[in-house]
Amino acid sequence: MGVPTIRSIVKEVSKAIWTVMRGECMPELTKEKWEAIALGFEKRAQFPHCLGAVDGKHIRIIRQMHSGSMFYNHKEYYSVVLLAVVDSNYKFVYVNVGSYGKECDSSIFKESTLWKSIDSKKLELPDEMCLLGSESPKMPYFFVGDEAFGLNKHSMRPFGGSHLTLKKRIFNYRLCRAQRYVECGFGILTNKLRIFHGPLNVEPEFAVEIVKASVLLHNFVRDRDGYLPEETTTIIGLEDLPRDNMARGGLEANSTRNILSDYFLTNVGSVSWQLNKI
């Protein structure tokens, strides 16, 4: 077949995969679904009240004619952004695909339909609860992200600075363990579907369709194969987070982060290896 024919087939199949399989492989997010995700993170990453790990991945594309610098990212290549929320089974529970490569992850997240629905209280999240085994104040549920994301009632990030107390260093380590699930999810996606090892030789709109279909196929395989315990070896034993000088956030968000930090020092909330890892 000629190249135009193959391109047409791939585009049609990619759109069909998203249309037909989305309801099964990336179902609607409900209160019960969020509770199941949070339970998974508490069990596998020992991080309570986590609704998912969020991060962005640059999908490399070829340079587009007359596109200017919109797709040119800080890594010095052309890309569209895959912003994703991943659960503790490395499955994508929400994706936003197609933002310009020059945009930052935190801005894309704030403008996403997921964040807007949470901010406007249209999306029902689990009720605030005390931390398991403690008498702490009732805590909201939140997403975990790296230093690029802001601190918010529903968004946790590490403490900034280079001279951190023991409590803050332990919190950063514990949050890093949970946040790395999204990075591992991207790694599994890339290594199973190796078209992402190089630039996609298609226009941005076509690249978006390929990425969306690939995400659903990734979830399909995760459901088929189930949770693989050996994959957790990529999570345990992580290096310290890079330094960061930003430490803004509302009073409620800072209070939540401090309560979690104290909880990770207690017998109920600590893990046996955390002191060795920091």
Side-chain angles (χ1 to χ4, degrees):
M1 295 182 182
V3 172
T5 303
I6 295 174
R7 288 170 63 92
S8 177
I9 291 173
V10 172
K11 182 180 290 188
E12 184 178 350
V13 171
S14 297
K15 290 181 177 179
I17 288 174
W18 179 260
T19 301
V20 175
M21 298 178 64
R22 183 182 181 185
E24 177 185 353
C25 297
M26 195 179 293
E28 182 180 355
L29 294 167
T30 62
K31 182 179 179 180
E32 292 73 22
K33 177 70 173 177
W34 289 124
E35 290 173 345
I37 293 172
L39 183 62
F41 272 99
E42 189 155 3
K43 177 182 177 182
R44 293 170 180 157
Q46 293 80 46
F47 204 95
H49 289 225
C50 179
L51 297 175
V54 59
D55 202 1
K57 175 177 175 58
H58 288 275
I59 305 297
R60 189 188 295 262
I61 60 174
I62 63 170
R63 181 181 178 181
Q64 303 298 306
M65 295 293 293
H66 311 299
S67 64
S69 61
M70 296 302 290
F71 292 101
Y72 195 69
N73 62 42
H74 66 281
K75 300 181 180 181
E76 300 184 348
Y77 60 81
Y78 293 86
S79 66
V80 293
V81 179
L82 162 60
L83 182 88
V85 176
V86 172
D87 67 14
S88 61
N89 190 25
Y90 312 108
K91 286 179 57 181
F92 296 93
V93 298
Y94 173 82
V95 293
N96 180 304
V97 191
S99 296
Y100 294 120
K102 67 176 295 182
E103 297 187 63
C104 64
D105 295 343
S106 59
S107 298
I108 298 172
F109 188 46
K110 288 181 179 179
E111 293 300 318
S112 67
T113 55
L114 174 64
W115 186 257
K116 288 181 178 179
S117 62
I118 292 174
D119 201 35
S120 62
K121 303 187 184 305
K122 293 181 180 179
L123 185 63
E124 188 177 14
L125 299 179
D127 299 327
E128 296 186 6
M129 298 179 63
C130 300
L131 294 173
L132 182 66
S134 75
E135 298 180 355
S136 70
K138 290 186 176 180
M139 299 264 296
Y141 285 74
F142 45 77
F143 302 96
V144 295
D146 60 20
E147 65 279 357
F149 291 87
L151 181 64
N152 185 277
K153 175 181 179 180
H154 296 300
S155 177
M156 282 290 110
R157 52 161 290 161
F159 286 101
S162 56
H163 301 287
L164 300 178
T165 63
L166 176 66
K167 181 174 74 171
K168 291 181 178 181
R169 290 172 65 197
I170 289 175
F171 174 86
N172 282 5
Y173 166 71
R174 296 288 292 274
L175 183 139
C176 185
R177 292 184 73 247
Q179 195 272 335
R180 287 296 175 91
Y181 275 86
V182 65
E183 296 183 14
C184 291
F186 288 145
I188 294 169
L189 172 70
T190 302
N191 287 323
K192 283 190 178 294
L193 303 172
R194 300 198 173 190
I195 56 169
F196 298 119
H197 284 189
L200 299 182
N201 189 14
V202 295
E203 61 273 14
E205 294 78 12
F206 191 178
V208 169
E209 298 297 338
I210 292 174
V211 174
K212 288 163 61 178
S214 299
V215 164
L216 291 189
L217 293 175
H218 166 92
N219 281 3
F220 177 82
V221 172
R222 300 302 303 170
D223 286 332
R224 184 193 64 186
D225 294 348
Y227 183 77
L228 303 176
E230 61 270 19
E231 289 178 328
T232 61
T233 57
T234 61
I235 300 298
I236 295 175
L238 302 176
E239 67 277 9
D240 289 342
L241 289 169
R243 296 180 180 180
D244 175 59
N245 296 319
M246 296 179 62
R248 298 187 178 91
L251 291 175
E252 186 176 6
N254 277 287
S255 176
T256 298
R257 189 164 62 172
N258 287 326
I259 292 170
L260 280 167
S261 300
D262 292 331
Y263 178 72
F264 291 148
L265 287 175
T266 65
N267 291 333
V268 177
S270 65
V271 292
S272 59
W273 62 85
Q274 63 187 21
L275 291 177
N276 292 329
K277 295 303 181 182
I278 65 170

